[in-house]
């Protein structure tokens, strides 16, 4: 058992002076003062701050590798067909990717890794911890199954260049409808022959899986909502760049949203509406909001910048931290396993030498499943 | 909330213009006449202007290539497959297209949004009205109001470049026929499955739409410029017993008897443009005059963004310069498109019970200098 | 042969409109006033119409892609080389383009025909008037009246696709500067050869045109939509001391002070179109109002076939709807383009001694329903 | 000496009953009755008709070969540069081409062969007789030098496909001006180094050569006239499809025109104005008019069709025959050598079994330089 003593810890939406214990990779006890037994390891963190490990619910780390040039490490879009539900992110992840290393060194202990946005149906996403040499051992198994989808311009830019269907937004919805209709036919057919592609979509229609849908513009969000009503499936809006421009509409959707990356230039018309204000607006509207880095779009060594920038809107700091911890955990269905400090949860936490909202503070150590796996000073080492 | 509009000349379309008043309640016309008696919460002074029903642009691509967004944002044509009935303009519509507001400034408050003409079988159209909302859903008047088809140069050019069928007019007709025949087979197969009480029938989204066409639930909206293409369209209509509207109909005057006989409505335009294609060679504003004289159901189109919907009214005015009856041209902007689109119970004239889709003009709409000074949707500010 | 026009309201542009008469002799206006005294061979009854000078379309590609002839007959842009000063629109002009007759029906009797905007340095413009002849030569008003240049999206898009300079706005400016600098060097070299009485000097046709520009014999006619492009153009003008006219000037209002200060005339439009390019995003009819208020020399353009020259008048009418002064807009269709093009001694107003380039209208030209019922060139038949 | 007896012969613009003699390949005497000497060969043509051999002033025979597929026998356009004054048609002609065989078998004894219309300056044309195995021996040496040029759409279709200059008619004139200006510079430069390309154009500017200009539309003819005035050179208008649409303008040009091919569909906008009436209109306007086949566009076995069709306009038949004989001879500058029957001229004639305007009459023999080289019945043999 590991006894962590002396730190200010972030628990139950506030900083508290509590010791805590870790056993078998899980958090096993919290108390103002824990007395270590003879076989316990003690970690004295007086003057330090402990927060739950951050969760980034939307990344491409390990798939779209850093430091590998343009081609060799790019496995993010299987652009041979506009609907590839049969492909799995887990099969393409390189755990040694600098992007994953950045994640753990800068405080992100869990990431969701998904295919890109070139296909209407991109494939299955996966939730992993950010330390390990084998991706299988990194999987967060409590997570709900994920089917990545995408709407809007990225699709049409990709396929119109190839002069292939769908080259316009007219046909993006049509591709999805066609596949979901095929899945319905598949499920209804008593003589069906099992295909993995159809099983993935059947999972979605049975609500065992949830759709994670890349989308920017409001009109595309409307189309998603329309199709989700037609076929009855659960979904999350990823990016949702313009959703805040119609709050009343946003409220009617009753779906989680994952905003970001927000610290980018709104240079294309797709990202025209990008603003940190969207976080505030949608939080105040009562939505379940998370923030993504879209790493490596925003590399995870910059993850805390987003927290600082949201903090400029003077939101409740508990709400802000939730954007990067509890909320993504809930969205991914892993909130019982990680995303906060509590008994029985994974011992995923970060140790800082100051308040996490103090930009001078540094992440001294990152713990995953109770093991120290990194920290800002590790950067140079690995 | 009841509002009264006073001090206007009412151009109701169904009656001769007269000085009158009207009352709007819950977005509908509650009363209209020389004077209105109901008590109201608000009075709008029409300042002696002309009150017209909102014009209806029966054929537009508004919202599919929003203003100022360049070619990368062009969703008019899914030109990757000659048969794409499954695509829907509603899915691609950009409700914040600045052209919607501008069109309202030109008195156009209702648009039927179709796919382009690259594909012999294009996709599903829908109808929107101008509202201040940034949601498509708040603008929808009616969904899936017709299946776009196309003949003539455009499919040939698009698929000719790919060396793929169709590269000829014959090929285009064959592609359309095959699709409709597939639809007929599908209906039969479905009926058989139902009769045999099979536990399972494999639905096909492309052919579900053919079924709607073949059962006359929705019309085919077919792009034709040249006379021979119109006659081919009518031939196919007769063969399959479907409903049809002919779009553009540039060479209408050459086959006016045949079109009249077929009973097919036509949506004419846009004629206020140059003639970059050979098939537009004989384009003339006189077509409007001819169609009005023939008494066929006829509407004006902008084909926006080919021609800006905002100045649809001036195209109608040019038709008058070329001999068309002025009242007839107002009907071609209002009640006739409403009838063609099947929304005349709600739109197209100023009558009690209809939607209060209205504009007040400070001058004659066919005079370029005239302005809309009020409509029923916007928090009004001048141009 | 002297002809008298009677029973018209004369809109001379230089005076307030009045009921009057005028006499045409040898194609010129021999007399104009409330009554005319000279004896005549023929009297033309204007039927109470409005007599206007023929409108002048100061920027057009009419005749370069004749109506109904398709893309294979498009000679607007020689987009194979970014610097083509040596090409001349007169060489490509199709005098039988049906649009010329149609434009005359819309009151436009004079057109300045420019190359398109694909090339940073485009080619030589010329001016034609409407005549019944099928020869270009019979239509020429003036040759080589300006060298077209272009900035902004178009050169970038064309040469970007070829991966050839220019692919940026910087690159476009550099291409233009290099051409003008080559011209300066050429002038020096020529002067030196002359001074040294060399028996031989190698003329260069591309640079002969630069010489004309640098010696201010002809102006540069530069395509700019965005404000930064206009300022770049003015910067180059100042550097090389050349004459310049800014074409389109879509974002005029954003840099109106700078343009006014530069003394550069602007040719505005076409604003009666949609905005398929990003650089057109902020296009507005209000620009006309602003330019009139600023007192800059300003003309309307159709950019035909982008917008049909026939309805140039309605674009001007829309400007009035958006607040422009009506008389100002008539000047922008007549005397101001004549001044910009340097043909105001002959065209642009109804004054004694000028060409009888005239139209009689049966109603206000800004009302779409109005028609030209007579002009000085055609054996007149109604529309 | 060959004595031809008994035939009706076309001489001095009319059919006459004359005998004639041939000596050394030349016509040496005409008389109502020639008495052969003991060494003379006698050809009795009683009941037959003799006409001068036809001249086609604009063909591509031998360059654009028949019966050779699309590529192997196509040498008509050197489409590697829009101005190739240095290439010579003579270097590309195959005398064995079926097109040349057709020519002689159907009565055409002289053809002008020129490069095609893909280039503004195509190269040098050549005038040849239509029988021989070596093209050098077939050349009609008295002909004026020819520089083939082209204006209008064929140019722009060719070069716009390559995305090269000149892609529009804006630049066609510019190419010509640039080359002619270069030639002027060349001629003025005392230190010039001889280049064949420049010499060809210098010949044109010195009026030793004449330009033969492919053109269809009236507006392009205007441009040609404008440039010819600017640079002062002689030219012929070939095709000139729309020239008859403005007769007054046509008269001002004072240049020969070669119309045709006229028995084609006016399917492109370039050939929209094509009509046999143009022959009548321009003849009546006093122009020097010839008719071309543009062979192999119209193969020369159909050459007489044109004569029949012009005859439908009830022109003077002498004028009609001139279109195919004297007039092209004058245009090519070979009228002293061939194109009519007269003492000292080449013995190029054709023998028919009826009037040439009777479409049932057949060409029994074709003579070139006094030698029988073909006729319609030879067709099957060669």
């Amino acid at each position: 058992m590991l006894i962590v003593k002396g730190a200010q810890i972030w628990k139950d939406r506030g900083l508290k002076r509590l010791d805590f214990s870790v056993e078998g990779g899980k958090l096993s006890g919290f108390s103002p003062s824990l007395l270590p037994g003879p076989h316990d390891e003690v970690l004295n963190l007086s003057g330090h701050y402990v927060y739950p490990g951050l969760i980034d619910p939307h990344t491409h780390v390990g798939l779209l590798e850093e430091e590998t040039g343009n081609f060799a490490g790019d496995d993010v879009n299987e652009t041979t067909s506009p609907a590839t539900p049969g492909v799995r992110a887990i099969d393409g992840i390189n755990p040694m990717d600098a992007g994953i290393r950045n994640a753990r060194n800068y405080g992100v202990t869990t990431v969701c890794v998904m295919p890109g946005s070139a296909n209407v149906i991109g494939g299955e996403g996966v939730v992993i911890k950010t330390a390990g040499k084998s991706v299988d051992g990194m999987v967060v198994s409590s997570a709900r199954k994920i089917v990545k989808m995408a709407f809007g311009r990225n699709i049409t830019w990709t396929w119109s260049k190839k002069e292939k269907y769908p080259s316009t937004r007219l046909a993006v919805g049509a591709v999805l409808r066609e596949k979901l209709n095929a899945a319905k036919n598949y499920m209804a057919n008593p003589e069906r022959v099992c295909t993995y592609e159809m099983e993935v979509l059947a999972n979605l229609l049975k609500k065992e899986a949830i759709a994670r849908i890349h989308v920017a513009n409001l009109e595309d969000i409307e189309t998603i909502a329309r199709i989700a009503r037609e076929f009855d499936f659960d979904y999350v809006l990823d990016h949702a760049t313009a959703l805040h421009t119609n709050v009343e509409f946003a409220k009617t959707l009753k779906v989680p949203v994952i905003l970001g990356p927000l610290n980018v230039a709104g240079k294309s018309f797709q990202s025209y509406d990008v603003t940190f204000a969207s976080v505030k607006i949608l939080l105040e509207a009562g939505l379940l909001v998370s923030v993504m880095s879209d790493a490596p779009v925003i590399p995870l060594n910059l993850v805390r910048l987003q927290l600082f920038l949201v903090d400029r809107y003077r939101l409740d700091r508990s709400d802000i931290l939730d954007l990067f911890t509890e909320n993504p955990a809930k969205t991914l269905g892993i909130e019982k396993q990680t995303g906060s400090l509590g008994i029985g949860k994974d011992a995923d936490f970060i140790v800082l030498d100051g308040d996490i909202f103090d930009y001078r503070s540094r992440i001294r150590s990152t713990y995953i499943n109770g093991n120290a796996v990194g920290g800002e000073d590790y950067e140079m080492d690995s | 909330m009841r509002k009264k509009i006073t001090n206007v000349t009412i151009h109701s379309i169904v009656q001769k213009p007269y000085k009158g008043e009207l009352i709007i309640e819950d977005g509908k016309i509650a009363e209209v006449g020389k004077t209105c008696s109901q008590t109201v919460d608000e009075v709008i002074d029409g300042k002696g202007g002309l009150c017209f029903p909102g014009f209806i642009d029966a054929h537009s691509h508004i919202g599919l290539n929003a203003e100022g967004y360049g070619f990368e944002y062009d969703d008019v044509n899914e030109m990757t497959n000659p048969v794409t009935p499954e695509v829907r303009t509603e899915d691609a519509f950009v409700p914040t297209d600045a052209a919607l507001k501008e069109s309202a400034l030109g008195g156009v408050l209702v648009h039927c949004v179709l796919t382009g003409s690259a594909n012999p079988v294009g996709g599903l159209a829908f109808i929107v009205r101008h509202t201040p909302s940034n949601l498509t859903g708040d603008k929808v008047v009616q969904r899936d109001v017709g299946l776009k088809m196309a003949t003539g140069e455009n499919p040939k050019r698009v698929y000719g470049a790919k060396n793929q069928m169709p590269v000829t007019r014959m090929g285009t007709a064959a592609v359309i026929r095959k699709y409709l025949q597939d639809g007929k087979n599908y209906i039969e197969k479905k009926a058989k499955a139902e009769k045999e009480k099979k536990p399972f029938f494999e639905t096909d989204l492309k052919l579900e739409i053919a079924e709607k066409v073949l059962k006359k639930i929705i019309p085919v909206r077919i792009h034709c410029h040249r006379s021979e293409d119109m006659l081919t369209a009518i031939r196919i209509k007769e063969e399959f017993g479907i409903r049809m509207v002919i779009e553009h109909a540039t060479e209408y005057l050459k086959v006016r008897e045949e079109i009249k006989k077929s009973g097919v409505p036509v949506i004419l335009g846009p004629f206020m443009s140059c003639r970059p294609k050979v098939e537009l060679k004989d384009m003339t504003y006189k077509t409007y005059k001819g169609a009005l004289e023939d008494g066929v159901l006829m509407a004006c189109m902008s084909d926006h963004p080919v021609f800006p919907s905002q100045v649809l009214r001036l195209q109608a005015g040019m038709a008058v310069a070329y001999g068309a009856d002025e009242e007839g041209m107002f009907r071609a902007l209002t009640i006739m498109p409403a009838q063609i689109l099947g929304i005349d119970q709600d739109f197209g004239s100023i009558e009690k019970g209809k939607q209060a889709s209205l504009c007040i003009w400070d001058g004659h709409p066919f005079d370029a200098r005239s302005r809309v000074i009020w409509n029923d949707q916007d928090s009004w500010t001048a141009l």
Side-chain angles (χ1 to χ4, degrees), chain A residues 165 167-169 181 222 246, chain B residues 75 78 86 92 134 136-137 203:
Chain A
Y165 188 95
S167 277
T168 61
R169 289 168 49 256
N181 184 60
E222 277 197 271
N246 195 317
Chain B
D75 290 314
E78 178 58 39
E86 73 279 15
N134 64 356
T136 301
T203 54

Side-chain angles (χ1 to χ4, degrees), chain B residues 327-348:
Chain B
E327 289 309 311
M329 289 314 297
F330 279 124
R331 287 193 295 120
L333 291 171
T334 54
I335 191 66
M336 290 200 288
Q339 289 164 340
I340 293 172
L341 299 175
I343 55 170
D344 51 313
Q345 71 286 6
D346 283 328
F347 292 92

Side-chain angles (χ1 to χ4, degrees), chain B residues 81-226:
Chain B
N81 182 334
V83 181
T84 57
E86 73 279 15
V87 310
R88 309 182 192 189
T89 52
E90 186 179 5
D91 286 355
F93 187 76
V94 176
T96 50
D97 184 352
L100 288 158
K101 170 89 177 175
E102 276 199 340
S103 299
L105 290 175
V108 180
L109 299 183
V110 177
H111 309 259
C112 183
V113 186
L114 296 91
T115 57
S117 51
N119 294 350
V121 181
L124 289 172
F126 84 132
I127 304 171
V128 294
R129 67 187 293 186
H130 171 63
T131 72
S133 166
N134 64 356
L135 294 179
T136 301
D138 290 342
K139 294 180 194 289
V140 173
V141 171
Q142 207 168 312
R143 295 199 158 83
D144 304 347
V145 294
L147 176 59
K148 181 74 183 291
M149 292 191 179
T151 65
E153 276 183 44
N154 292 5
K156 276 178 55 169
R157 194 182 57 247
V158 169
Y159 293 97
K162 301 175 196 270
N163 204 17
Q164 184 184 345
M165 188 168 181
V167 302
T168 61
R169 282 162 205 269
M170 300 177 291
T172 299
V175 167
I176 291 172
R177 270 202 188 84
K178 180 182 185 314
Y179 172 66
L180 290 172
Q181 186 57 48
D182 287 350
K184 282 178 75 171
N185 297 344
Y186 181 75
I187 291 172
E188 265 180 38
K189 197 173 143 193
K190 197 187 246 185
K192 191 159 166 272
E194 213 156 282
K195 202 173 151 194
E196 294 172 0
K197 295 197 163 50
K198 285 204 176 159
F200 165 70
F201 176 76
E202 188 159 339
T203 54
D204 179 312
L205 295 186
K206 286 192 183 224
L207 297 179
E208 286 287 320
I209 295 157
E211 183 176 354
K212 281 190 185 173
V213 168
L214 290 161
K215 292 184 170 168
K216 300 193 180 189
I217 297 165
I218 59 173
V220 163
R221 305 279 304 266
I222 191 160
H223 165 110
C224 303
H225 286 292
R226 294 248 296 236

Side-chain angles (χ1 to χ4, degrees), chain B residues 2-6 40-45:
Chain B
R2 263 205 298 262
K3 286 186 277 192
K4 184 197 256 187
I5 296 175
T6 63
V40 294
D41 306 295
E42 188 190 340
V43 174
I44 295 154
D45 178 5

Side-chain angles (χ1 to χ4, degrees), chain B residues 49-87:
Chain B
L50 293 66
C51 185
F52 274 89
F55 299 144
I56 299 171
D57 193 342
H59 177 125
S60 175
H61 311 296
I62 202 163
L64 300 183
N65 185 10
E67 295 289 290
Y69 280 62
F71 69 94
E72 289 187 336
Y73 274 66
D74 180 354
D75 290 314
V76 176
N77 282 299
E78 178 58 39
M79 52 177 100
T80 52
N81 182 334
V83 181
T84 57
E86 73 279 15
V87 310

